[in-house]
């Protein structure tokens, strides 16, 4: 019988204490793995999703909520802002890039984002298959959306109202998939992109229609100006100079064009078009101090920094994570104590077995090794069982999060998990050290004589 067989036979005799030690080790390893993987994944996603965004401009409210909804897509927006105000900011010399974002619908949990081509520039991604949307009701989807929902170019999808599953379905307005984004390891992998006008149209908000109305106004304005011009010419009919008449008509035509342009501008600004937020990239470091203050003092909007709000969020989460990690280490220490008690008690019951083994030729080192192996086997089993528990828990966590916030790779083995298993193994060795030394010092004559 080899060493491992002897070890297995010994630990199987102490079923209750062995199972308790294994479970304590498993729970300690599982908690450490879950906390480590989720915090690392979350921090990495925070960095990847906001690394090119210096400022987010949106409706007044919670700055953190604005960041979570517009950058990380894991909360509801604070409201909408007028498109006209956003367009004014886009021309600010302190702004290098300003990307409009309009939210409101989802497809099976994946958020549909109304935007333009600058969104791809901001997130440093590109269309891998197909092309970018060019018409209303065309969408470009992330790689994870295509994979999870089994979508391909040419497929039609129906959006649902709201930012989570279960909303009212817009069956009258199907979207057509025209492109699939390259994998970018950030939020774009789980988003569905379309034009701003598509988002407005699906909610019945007039956008292109204002061009038709503008044309009607133009015609009416031209007719009014024509009547005014005719009346003016009739009143000044005594003017006989032909060149003067032509010059006067040119002036009236220019006045007509100015009136039409004024009407168009007024209608665009009064049409009520809104977006959810504006994602801003600074032109220079000077904008850090100037632009947020300017927006706060001169507009009805708010400006929030993803870097500041993300750091604040992670600092709040870090307190809870640190506390749970301390709890996990305490559980691991209790598991080590359980292994020690189990082996120490088992050693008392097996002292005659050890003496007989020594009488049959087993060395002191052999007995020492057997006890050490027992501690290692118990904690290694507990460690790998903890990995199983951890990934089951991570899978459950991934099911509870929305599709747009899916940032945990449930079935990927992280190198740090093996470190935790190694830590459990070391705890097992330390716990078995005192019983192993006691076995090493076993005296055949004393045990067999009953002293």
């Amino acid at each position: 019988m080899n060493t491992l067989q002897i070890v297995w036979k010994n630990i199987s005799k102490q079923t209750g204490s062995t199972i308790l030690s294994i479970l304590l080790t498993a729970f300690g390893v599982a908690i450490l793995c879950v906390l480590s993987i989720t915090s690392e994944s979350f921090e990495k996603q925070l960095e990847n999703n906001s690394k090119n965004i210096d400022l987010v401009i949106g409706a007044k409210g919670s700055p953190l909520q604005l960041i979570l909804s517009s950058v990380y897509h894991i909360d509801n927006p604070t409201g909408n802002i007028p498109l006209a105000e956003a367009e004014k900011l886009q021309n600010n010399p302190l702004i290098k890039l300003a990307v409009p974002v309009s939210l409101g619908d989802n497809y099976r949990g994946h958020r549909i984002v109304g935007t333009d081509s600058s969104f791809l520039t901001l997130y440093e991604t590109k269309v891998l298959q197909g092309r970018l949307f060019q018409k209303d009701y065309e969408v470009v989807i992330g790689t994870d959306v295509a994979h999870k929902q089994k979508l391909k170019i040419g497929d039609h999808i129906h959006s649902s109202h709201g930012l989570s599953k279960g909303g009212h379905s817009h069956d009258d307005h199907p979207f057509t998939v025209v492109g699939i984004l390259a994998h970018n390891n950030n939020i774009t992998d789980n988003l569905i992109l379309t034009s701003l006008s598509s988002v407005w149209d699906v909610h019945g908000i007039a956008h292109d229609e204002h061009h038709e109305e503008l044309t009607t106004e133009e015609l009416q304005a031209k007719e009014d100006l024509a009547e005014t011009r005719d009346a003016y010419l009739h009143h000044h009919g005594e003017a006989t100079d032909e060149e003067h008449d032509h010059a006067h008509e040119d002036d009236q035509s220019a006045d007509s064009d100015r009136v039409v342009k004024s009407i168009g501008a007024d209608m665009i600004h009064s049409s009520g078009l809104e977006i959810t937020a504006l994602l801003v990239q600074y032109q220079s470091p000077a904008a850090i101090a100037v632009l947020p203050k300017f927006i706060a003092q001169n507009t009805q909007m708010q400006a929030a920094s993803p870097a500041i709000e993300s750091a604040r969020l992670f600092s709040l989460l870090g307190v809870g994570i640190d506390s749970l990690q301390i709890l996990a280490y305490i559980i691991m220490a209790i598991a080590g104590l359980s292994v020690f008690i189990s082996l120490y008690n088992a050693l008392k019951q097996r002292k005659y077995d050890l003496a007989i083994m020594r009488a049959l030729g087993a060395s002191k080192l052999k007995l020492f090794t057997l006890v050490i192996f027992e501690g290692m086997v118990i904690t290694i089993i507990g460690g790998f069982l903890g990995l199983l528990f951890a990934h089951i828990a991570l899978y459950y966590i991934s099911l509870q999060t929305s599709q747009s916030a899916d940032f945990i790779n449930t079935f990927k083995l992280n190198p740090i998990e093996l470190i935790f298993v190694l830590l459990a193994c070391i705890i097992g060795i330390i716990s078995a050290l005192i019983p192993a030394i006691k076995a090493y010092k076993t005296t055949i004559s004393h045990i067999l004589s009953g002293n």
Side-chain angles (χ1 to χ4, degrees), residues 219-234:
L219 293 174
Q220 184 62 46
K222 288 181 179 179
E223 290 176 2
D224 293 342
L225 286 173
E227 292 176 1
T228 303
R229 184 176 65 247
D230 291 341
Y232 180 87
L233 291 175
H234 179 73

PDB file of all heavy atoms in Angstrom, residues 219-234:
ATOM      1  N   LEU A 219     -42.262  77.966 -47.998  1.00  0.00           N
ATOM      2  CA  LEU A 219     -43.177  78.354 -49.078  1.00  0.00           C
ATOM      3  C   LEU A 219     -44.093  79.485 -48.643  1.00  0.00           C
ATOM      4  O   LEU A 219     -44.329  80.436 -49.401  1.00  0.00           O
ATOM      5  CB  LEU A 219     -44.011  77.134 -49.504  1.00  0.00           C
ATOM      6  CG  LEU A 219     -43.220  76.002 -50.176  1.00  0.00           C
ATOM      7  CD1 LEU A 219     -44.142  74.803 -50.413  1.00  0.00           C
ATOM      8  CD2 LEU A 219     -42.625  76.474 -51.500  1.00  0.00           C
ATOM      9  N   GLN A 220     -44.618  79.363 -47.393  1.00  0.00           N
ATOM     10  CA  GLN A 220     -45.507  80.403 -46.899  1.00  0.00           C
ATOM     11  C   GLN A 220     -44.774  81.729 -46.772  1.00  0.00           C
ATOM     12  O   GLN A 220     -45.286  82.793 -47.113  1.00  0.00           O
ATOM     13  CB  GLN A 220     -46.075  79.987 -45.536  1.00  0.00           C
ATOM     14  CG  GLN A 220     -47.108  80.958 -44.965  1.00  0.00           C
ATOM     15  CD  GLN A 220     -48.341  81.077 -45.862  1.00  0.00           C
ATOM     16  OE1 GLN A 220     -48.880  80.071 -46.323  1.00  0.00           O
ATOM     17  NE2 GLN A 220     -48.757  82.312 -46.142  1.00  0.00           N
ATOM     18  N   ALA A 221     -43.525  81.630 -46.274  1.00  0.00           N
ATOM     19  CA  ALA A 221     -42.740  82.856 -46.114  1.00  0.00           C
ATOM     20  C   ALA A 221     -42.443  83.497 -47.462  1.00  0.00           C
ATOM     21  O   ALA A 221     -42.494  84.718 -47.604  1.00  0.00           O
ATOM     22  CB  ALA A 221     -41.432  82.537 -45.394  1.00  0.00           C
ATOM     23  N   LYS A 222     -42.133  82.658 -48.451  1.00  0.00           N
ATOM     24  CA  LYS A 222     -41.848  83.187 -49.782  1.00  0.00           C
ATOM     25  C   LYS A 222     -43.080  83.851 -50.391  1.00  0.00           C
ATOM     26  O   LYS A 222     -43.001  84.881 -51.050  1.00  0.00           O
ATOM     27  CB  LYS A 222     -41.342  82.066 -50.683  1.00  0.00           C
ATOM     28  CG  LYS A 222     -39.929  81.602 -50.337  1.00  0.00           C
ATOM     29  CD  LYS A 222     -39.482  80.497 -51.276  1.00  0.00           C
ATOM     30  CE  LYS A 222     -38.058  80.071 -50.934  1.00  0.00           C
ATOM     31  NZ  LYS A 222     -37.589  78.982 -51.813  1.00  0.00           N
ATOM     32  N   GLU A 223     -44.246  83.205 -50.155  1.00  0.00           N
ATOM     33  CA  GLU A 223     -45.484  83.792 -50.682  1.00  0.00           C
ATOM     34  C   GLU A 223     -45.762  85.135 -50.031  1.00  0.00           C
ATOM     35  O   GLU A 223     -46.135  86.102 -50.709  1.00  0.00           O
ATOM     36  CB  GLU A 223     -46.647  82.831 -50.425  1.00  0.00           C
ATOM     37  CG  GLU A 223     -46.587  81.574 -51.276  1.00  0.00           C
ATOM     38  CD  GLU A 223     -47.707  80.609 -50.923  1.00  0.00           C
ATOM     39  OE1 GLU A 223     -48.531  80.953 -50.051  1.00  0.00           O
ATOM     40  OE2 GLU A 223     -47.755  79.522 -51.532  1.00  0.00           O
ATOM     41  N   ASP A 224     -45.594  85.197 -48.686  1.00  0.00           N
ATOM     42  CA  ASP A 224     -45.830  86.463 -47.994  1.00  0.00           C
ATOM     43  C   ASP A 224     -44.874  87.530 -48.483  1.00  0.00           C
ATOM     44  O   ASP A 224     -45.265  88.692 -48.689  1.00  0.00           O
ATOM     45  CB  ASP A 224     -45.661  86.270 -46.478  1.00  0.00           C
ATOM     46  CG  ASP A 224     -46.745  85.374 -45.896  1.00  0.00           C
ATOM     47  OD1 ASP A 224     -47.790  85.204 -46.578  1.00  0.00           O
ATOM     48  OD2 ASP A 224     -46.538  84.840 -44.781  1.00  0.00           O
ATOM     49  N   LEU A 225     -43.601  87.129 -48.650  1.00  0.00           N
ATOM     50  CA  LEU A 225     -42.613  88.106 -49.115  1.00  0.00           C
ATOM     51  C   LEU A 225     -42.887  88.545 -50.544  1.00  0.00           C
ATOM     52  O   LEU A 225     -42.668  89.694 -50.915  1.00  0.00           O
ATOM     53  CB  LEU A 225     -41.205  87.512 -49.009  1.00  0.00           C
ATOM     54  CG  LEU A 225     -40.655  87.429 -47.576  1.00  0.00           C
ATOM     55  CD1 LEU A 225     -39.344  86.674 -47.562  1.00  0.00           C
ATOM     56  CD2 LEU A 225     -40.463  88.815 -47.008  1.00  0.00           C
ATOM     57  N   ALA A 226     -43.387  87.603 -51.349  1.00  0.00           N
ATOM     58  CA  ALA A 226     -43.723  87.949 -52.733  1.00  0.00           C
ATOM     59  C   ALA A 226     -44.846  88.970 -52.770  1.00  0.00           C
ATOM     60  O   ALA A 226     -44.820  89.940 -53.550  1.00  0.00           O
ATOM     61  CB  ALA A 226     -44.128  86.689 -53.493  1.00  0.00           C
ATOM     62  N   GLU A 227     -45.874  88.730 -51.891  1.00  0.00           N
ATOM     63  CA  GLU A 227     -46.976  89.694 -51.841  1.00  0.00           C
ATOM     64  C   GLU A 227     -46.487  91.051 -51.362  1.00  0.00           C
ATOM     65  O   GLU A 227     -46.885  92.097 -51.881  1.00  0.00           O
ATOM     66  CB  GLU A 227     -48.072  89.174 -50.898  1.00  0.00           C
ATOM     67  CG  GLU A 227     -48.785  87.943 -51.453  1.00  0.00           C
ATOM     68  CD  GLU A 227     -49.791  87.383 -50.458  1.00  0.00           C
ATOM     69  OE1 GLU A 227     -49.919  87.989 -49.364  1.00  0.00           O
ATOM     70  OE2 GLU A 227     -50.440  86.366 -50.770  1.00  0.00           O
ATOM     71  N   THR A 228     -45.626  91.036 -50.355  1.00  0.00           N
ATOM     72  CA  THR A 228     -45.069  92.283 -49.844  1.00  0.00           C
ATOM     73  C   THR A 228     -44.270  93.005 -50.912  1.00  0.00           C
ATOM     74  O   THR A 228     -44.364  94.231 -51.073  1.00  0.00           O
ATOM     75  CB  THR A 228     -44.164  92.012 -48.628  1.00  0.00           C
ATOM     76  OG1 THR A 228     -44.921  91.317 -47.636  1.00  0.00           O
ATOM     77  CG2 THR A 228     -43.618  93.307 -48.047  1.00  0.00           C
ATOM     78  N   ARG A 229     -43.481  92.209 -51.661  1.00  0.00           N
ATOM     79  CA  ARG A 229     -42.659  92.806 -52.726  1.00  0.00           C
ATOM     80  C   ARG A 229     -43.532  93.424 -53.805  1.00  0.00           C
ATOM     81  O   ARG A 229     -43.286  94.535 -54.276  1.00  0.00           O
ATOM     82  CB  ARG A 229     -41.740  91.745 -53.320  1.00  0.00           C
ATOM     83  CG  ARG A 229     -40.782  92.328 -54.381  1.00  0.00           C
ATOM     84  CD  ARG A 229     -39.805  91.275 -54.904  1.00  0.00           C
ATOM     85  NE  ARG A 229     -40.498  90.224 -55.632  1.00  0.00           N
ATOM     86  CZ  ARG A 229     -40.566  88.971 -55.212  1.00  0.00           C
ATOM     87  NH1 ARG A 229     -40.013  88.635 -54.059  1.00  0.00           N
ATOM     88  NH2 ARG A 229     -41.218  88.065 -55.914  1.00  0.00           N
ATOM     89  N   ASP A 230     -44.619  92.706 -54.194  1.00  0.00           N
ATOM     90  CA  ASP A 230     -45.515  93.215 -55.241  1.00  0.00           C
ATOM     91  C   ASP A 230     -46.196  94.505 -54.791  1.00  0.00           C
ATOM     92  O   ASP A 230     -46.317  95.465 -55.572  1.00  0.00           O
ATOM     93  CB  ASP A 230     -46.575  92.172 -55.581  1.00  0.00           C
ATOM     94  CG  ASP A 230     -45.962  90.964 -56.287  1.00  0.00           C
ATOM     95  OD1 ASP A 230     -44.831  91.108 -56.816  1.00  0.00           O
ATOM     96  OD2 ASP A 230     -46.604  89.894 -56.298  1.00  0.00           O
ATOM     97  N   ALA A 231     -46.633  94.497 -53.492  1.00  0.00           N
ATOM     98  CA  ALA A 231     -47.290  95.698 -52.980  1.00  0.00           C
ATOM     99  C   ALA A 231     -46.322  96.864 -52.946  1.00  0.00           C
ATOM    100  O   ALA A 231     -46.676  98.005 -53.273  1.00  0.00           O
ATOM    101  CB  ALA A 231     -47.834  95.429 -51.574  1.00  0.00           C
ATOM    102  N   TYR A 232     -45.097  96.566 -52.562  1.00  0.00           N
ATOM    103  CA  TYR A 232     -44.093  97.616 -52.495  1.00  0.00           C
ATOM    104  C   TYR A 232     -43.808  98.178 -53.880  1.00  0.00           C
ATOM    105  O   TYR A 232     -43.734  99.388 -54.080  1.00  0.00           O
ATOM    106  CB  TYR A 232     -42.816  97.059 -51.880  1.00  0.00           C
ATOM    107  CG  TYR A 232     -41.692  98.072 -51.770  1.00  0.00           C
ATOM    108  CD1 TYR A 232     -41.598  98.905 -50.655  1.00  0.00           C
ATOM    109  CD2 TYR A 232     -40.731  98.190 -52.790  1.00  0.00           C
ATOM    110  CE1 TYR A 232     -40.580  99.818 -50.551  1.00  0.00           C
ATOM    111  CE2 TYR A 232     -39.733  99.115 -52.693  1.00  0.00           C
ATOM    112  CZ  TYR A 232     -39.644  99.926 -51.579  1.00  0.00           C
ATOM    113  OH  TYR A 232     -38.642 100.841 -51.483  1.00  0.00           O
ATOM    114  N   LEU A 233     -43.676  97.298 -54.861  1.00  0.00           N
ATOM    115  CA  LEU A 233     -43.394  97.741 -56.226  1.00  0.00           C
ATOM    116  C   LEU A 233     -44.569  98.523 -56.799  1.00  0.00           C
ATOM    117  O   LEU A 233     -44.393  99.492 -57.530  1.00  0.00           O
ATOM    118  CB  LEU A 233     -43.077  96.524 -57.106  1.00  0.00           C
ATOM    119  CG  LEU A 233     -41.755  95.822 -56.799  1.00  0.00           C
ATOM    120  CD1 LEU A 233     -41.614  94.559 -57.660  1.00  0.00           C
ATOM    121  CD2 LEU A 233     -40.566  96.742 -57.038  1.00  0.00           C
ATOM    122  N   HIS A 234     -45.783  98.067 -56.446  1.00  0.00           N
ATOM    123  CA  HIS A 234     -46.958  98.771 -56.947  1.00  0.00           C
ATOM    124  C   HIS A 234     -47.033 100.173 -56.351  1.00  0.00           C
ATOM    125  O   HIS A 234     -47.402 101.139 -57.019  1.00  0.00           O
ATOM    126  CB  HIS A 234     -48.226  97.981 -56.584  1.00  0.00           C
ATOM    127  CG  HIS A 234     -49.485  98.656 -57.035  1.00  0.00           C
ATOM    128  ND1 HIS A 234     -49.883  98.709 -58.362  1.00  0.00           N
ATOM    129  CD2 HIS A 234     -50.447  99.323 -56.314  1.00  0.00           C
ATOM    130  CE1 HIS A 234     -51.014  99.368 -58.467  1.00  0.00           C
ATOM    131  NE2 HIS A 234     -51.392  99.757 -57.220  1.00  0.00           N
TER     132      HIS A 234
END
